């Protein structure tokens, strides 16, 4: 038995920097998933799991492996509008879920900045949203899920199962999630009340998060990574609340009210916008864009609450389809680091300073507030995260990696954590240290028990020595 050569496909991480050739298989049932694992075992190959391919780096690609793409397992199996639960095959996306449930007054309990991830990928990474400071990651809202283990067993895990919090977050390295039952959030309106606050520096950023921590439903802030000195850390903080007094609720809960507009500024077809972005996608262009964004945020609507659709607020990055192409030909990486609250002001300021010294400022900076959680590869801390996008070119790649290592060192020294969905640059010892000896030993024990032949892997797993076959 061998993997079919005709299935050889090139796939990339979302940032387009990393790519791999693999044998693409797209099962439609749990039995087919088990067959693919068996095929891998018999043909001596390994398997890489992939959802919608929205992880930025190399977590969803595997060179010369069988790529098990879950996206055709996309059936919503049951929606219980009385209990507020939804049962889905694991390839169902966040977009499918909100479209299915919103008219009955429900919303996914946690969403990422894009609506395209599958539930499998969402659980694989245990994604967080702009409500991370009170809701934690999506795993907190999973009621049960089915998983096929490479050792040949199949299980349904619920919150009482010891394995429940281990498979969620484990980056597709311990088992294949095939079905997920999720608790939904009850909402009274399809709109949020959104309050934008222009913030002049780091101190004001952290003060804004502290001020709204106990009263907001969502918080997120944009950082202008080009601003220096006293202006360093300036940006635009957003907080938002669910509405419970919306007289237009029946309208706002319709999917068509949520749909993002086809044009930007009422004029430019969305599908062409990345071409304009590409022209600005260089250091001077982005310095100007960030400055313009800060200025307009300060002068327009600052401090004035306004209604905004849940989709518009949650999935801002989906406004511009194909925006990542603006980073071609080299692509980009994202680094999101998580730092305990007592160290975050200093560590974030130093991260910014390092970028500016290296003349490699992030074109987009985003800050969020988080809480700790109990999942195996947890990225949760009682603190803050800073996500940074770096353009990669042939000539700057080495320097970008040096900068990333310096940033990662700062985070490690402060007891911080990393998020594998956003990682391309960690060294094995960095991830191991951030995880801690106990969690790392637990992972190694589970890998041996659930995947004794090390069938599940990825290029990330090989880079971070999480694949026993790559340890030597
Ligand atoms: C524009 C943008 C904004 C984003 N915003 C956020 C955000 O706000 N918060 C956040 O947390 N993340 C965010 N992300 C990251 C994204 O949510 C995660 O990378 C998520 O895992 C992507 O899901 P996916 O279906 O694309 O999975 P993939 O990226 O394809 O895979 C993710 C992981 O899941 C594993 N996996 C895939 N299928 C299975 C399976 N069946 N069983 C077990 N494991 C499996 C893969 O091996 C991989 O390790 C963002 C990404 C983008 C592109």
């Amino acid at each position: 038995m061998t993997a079919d050569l005709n299935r050889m496909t090139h796939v990339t991480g979302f940032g387009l920097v990393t790519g791999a050739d693999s044998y693409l298989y797209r099962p439609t049932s749990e039995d087919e998933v088990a067959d693919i694992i068996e095929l891998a075992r018999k043909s001596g190959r390994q398997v890489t799991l992939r959802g919608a391919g929205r992880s930025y780096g190399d977590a969803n690609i595997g060179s010369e492996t069988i790529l098990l793409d879950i996206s055709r397992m996309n059936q919503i199996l049951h929606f219980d509008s009385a209990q507020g639960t939804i049962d889905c095959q694991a390839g169902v996306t966040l977009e499918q879920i909100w479209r299915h449930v919103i008219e009955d007054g429900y919303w996914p309990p946690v969403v990422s900045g894009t609506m395209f991830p599958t539930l499998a990928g969402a659980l694989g990474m245990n994604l967080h949203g702009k409500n991370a400071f009170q809701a934690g990651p999506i795993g907190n809202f999973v009621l049960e899920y089915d998983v096929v283990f490479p050792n040949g067993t199949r299980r349904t895990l619920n919150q009482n199962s010891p394995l429940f919090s281990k498979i969620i977050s484990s980056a597709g390295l311990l088992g294949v999630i095939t079905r997920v039952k999720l608790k939904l959030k009850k909402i009274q309106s399809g709109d949020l009340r959104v309050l934008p606050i222009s913030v002049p520096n780091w101190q004001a950023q952290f003060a804004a998060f502290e001020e709204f921590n106990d009263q907001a439903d969502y918080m997120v802030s944009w950082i202008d990574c080009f601003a220096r000195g006293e202006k360093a850390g300036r940006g635009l903080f957003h907080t938002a609340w669910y509405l419970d007094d919306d007289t237009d609720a029946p309208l706002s809960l319709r999917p068509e009210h949520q749909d993002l507009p086809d044009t930007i500024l009422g004029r430019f077809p969305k599908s062409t916008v990345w071409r304009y972005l590409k022209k600005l996608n260089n250091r001077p262009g982005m310095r100007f864009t960030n400055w313009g964004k800060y200025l307009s945020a300060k002068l327009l609507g600052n401090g004035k609450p306004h209604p905004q659709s849940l989709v518009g607020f949650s999935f801002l990055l989906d406004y511009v389809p194909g925006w990542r192409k603006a980073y071609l030909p080299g692509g980009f990486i994202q680094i999101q680091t998580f730092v305990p609250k007592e160290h975050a002001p200093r560590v974030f300021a130093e991260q910014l300073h390092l970028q500016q010294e290296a003349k490699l400022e992030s074109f987009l900076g985003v800050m969020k507030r988080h809480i700790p959680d109990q999942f195996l590869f947890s990225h949760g801390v009682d603190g803050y995260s800073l996500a940074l996008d770096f353009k990669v070119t042939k000539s700057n790649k080495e320097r970008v990696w040096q900068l990333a290592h310096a940033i990662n060192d700062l985070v490690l020294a402060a007891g911080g954590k990393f998020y594998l969905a956003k990682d391309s640059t960690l060294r094995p010892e960095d991830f191991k240290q951030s995880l801690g000896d106990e969690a790392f030993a637990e992972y190694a024990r589970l890998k041996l028990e659930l995947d004794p032949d090390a069938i599940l892997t990825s290029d990330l797993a090989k880079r971070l020595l999480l694949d026993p076959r790559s340890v030597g």
Side-chain angles (χ1 to χ4, degrees):
M1 229 170 159
T2 54
D4 183 351
L5 267 180
N6 293 321
R7 291 177 176 271
M8 189 53 100
T9 312
H10 186 75
V11 288
T12 66
F14 185 77
L16 301 168
V17 173
T18 51
D21 293 328
S22 35
Y23 302 91
L24 177 63
Y25 284 76
R26 303 203 303 143
T28 56
S29 68
E30 196 179 276
D31 286 344
E32 282 179 36
V33 167
D35 289 346
I36 293 168
I37 302 266
E38 199 44 33
L39 169 68
R41 189 187 317 286
K42 291 201 168 130
S43 61
R45 296 220 169 259
Q46 290 178 286
V47 173
T48 300
L49 305 183
R50 184 170 169 102
R54 255 59 191 183
S55 295
Y56 283 75
D58 49 3
N60 50 27
I61 61 171
S63 306
E64 301 286 314
T65 64
I66 290 177
L67 190 70
L68 192 161
D69 174 335
I70 202 81
S71 61
R72 270 210 299 169
M73 289 181 65
N74 59 5
Q75 300 301 307
I76 294 175
L77 304 171
H78 183 62
F79 167 46
D80 184 335
S81 63
Q83 297 296 319
T85 61
I86 191 160
D87 206 335
C88 306
Q89 284 188 310
V92 164
T93 63
L94 297 178
E95 177 180 21
Q96 277 179 275
I97 296 180
W98 76 253
R99 283 192 186 281
H100 196 86
V101 303
I102 194 162
E103 265 171 303
D104 287 309
Y106 288 102
W107 182 251
V110 169
V111 295
S112 48
T114 172
M115 63 173 98
F116 303 121
T118 60
L119 282 175
L123 266 58
M125 288 304 181
N126 206 12
L127 63 76
H128 62 265
K130 299 176 183 70
N131 55 358
F133 61 97
Q134 38 134 309
I138 194 164
N140 286 347
F141 299 88
V142 174
L143 300 172
E144 62 175 39
Y145 60 96
D146 291 346
V147 54
V148 175
F149 292 112
N151 67 6
T153 56
R154 299 183 193 191
R155 293 274 303 276
T156 298
L157 301 176
N158 62 32
Q159 291 169 346
N160 298 322
S161 324
L163 280 179
F164 180 88
S165 61
K166 313 295 179 192
I167 310 306
I168 293 177
S169 82
S170 65
L173 298 177
L174 294 178
V176 189
I177 297 168
T178 55
R179 182 188 65 91
V180 181
K181 186 171 176 189
L182 197 64
K183 177 86 186 141
L184 297 164
K185 167 80 188 163
K186 184 75 190 140
I187 52 170
Q188 310 299 332
S189 166
D191 284 344
L192 295 168
R193 188 165 74 92
V194 179
L195 174 64
I197 301 174
S198 164
V199 276
N201 52 35
W202 280 121
Q203 205 187 351
Q205 289 280 10
F206 286 98
F209 276 96
E210 286 301 314
E211 181 181 346
F212 290 97
N213 194 53
D214 295 333
Q215 26 155 331
D217 291 319
Y218 292 101
M219 295 196 291
V220 64
S221 198
W222 160 77
I223 317 280
D224 171 3
C225 293
F226 289 86
R228 307 172 152 253
E230 287 178 359
K231 297 176 185 159
R234 75 180 180 188
L236 180 61
F237 172 84
H238 275 108
T239 178
W241 294 266
Y242 296 109
L243 291 177
D244 48 19
D245 54 355
D246 179 7
T247 46
D248 285 334
L251 281 181
S252 69
L253 288 169
R254 287 200 193 148
E256 53 273 24
H257 172 79
Q258 298 293 325
D259 276 329
L260 299 170
D262 288 333
T263 53
I264 303 258
L265 302 173
R267 226 178 122 201
F268 305 100
K270 274 197 318 190
S271 53
T272 62
V273 169
W274 71 268
R275 292 179 196 278
Y276 302 104
L277 281 182
K278 191 162 168 59
K279 293 194 197 316
L280 285 171
N281 208 25
N282 49 57
R283 227 175 139 234
M286 279 296 143
R287 180 190 297 280
F288 175 75
T289 307
N290 275 268
W291 169 80
K293 183 171 160 69
Y294 178 69
L295 204 66
S296 61
K298 201 169 145 185
L299 300 177
L300 307 171
N302 183 13
K304 295 190 189 123
H306 61 270
Q308 188 176 12
S309 72
L310 271 155
V311 164
F313 179 78
S314 307
F315 306 125
L316 192 66
L317 288 164
D318 294 341
Y319 267 93
V320 184
W323 58 267
R324 63 181 172 159
K325 287 190 276 186
Y327 282 98
L328 285 173
F332 70 111
I333 60 168
Q334 185 173 109
I335 300 178
Q336 186 174 13
T337 57
F338 297 72
V339 180
K341 61 179 187 299
E342 58 278 21
H343 300 300
R346 174 185 56 79
V347 172
F348 289 178
E350 286 179 19
Q351 288 192 19
L352 210 62
H353 184 68
L354 282 175
Q355 296 165 47
Q356 294 173 349
E357 288 291 291
K359 297 189 170 42
L360 287 171
E361 297 87 348
S362 163
F363 290 177
L364 177 68
V366 175
M367 191 172 150
K368 290 188 201 129
R369 178 75 165 93
H370 299 265
I371 52 175
D373 61 70
Q374 298 306 311
F375 293 90
L376 183 65
F377 287 174
S378 166
H379 55 271
V381 292
D382 182 7
Y384 293 87
S385 72
L386 181 62
L388 303 165
D389 287 5
F390 294 104
K391 180 174 177 170
V392 175
T393 64
K394 248 189 205 157
S395 60
N396 81 3
K397 188 166 181 183
E398 207 178 313
R399 289 190 304 118
V400 170
W401 256 248
Q402 278 166 4
L403 171 65
H405 290 157
I407 287 176
N408 295 342
D409 287 345
L410 281 174
V411 172
L412 274 177
K417 294 198 172 178
F418 305 104
Y419 184 23
L420 296 182
K422 310 290 183 77
D423 175 51
S424 303
T425 63
L426 283 174
R427 295 158 294 193
E429 60 276 20
D430 301 336
F431 184 63
K432 195 170 173 192
Q433 186 182 335
S434 73
L435 200 60
D437 289 343
E438 207 179 308
F440 196 81
E442 176 75 345
Y443 167 73
R445 187 186 70 70
L446 290 170
K447 185 78 179 161
L448 203 61
E449 176 189 328
L450 304 170
D451 186 11
D453 302 321
I455 297 279
L456 295 180
T457 191
S458 62
D459 282 0
L460 173 138
K462 294 202 157 82
R463 172 167 57 85
L464 296 182
L465 302 184
L466 296 171
D467 173 355
R469 293 199 202 182
S470 61
V471 179

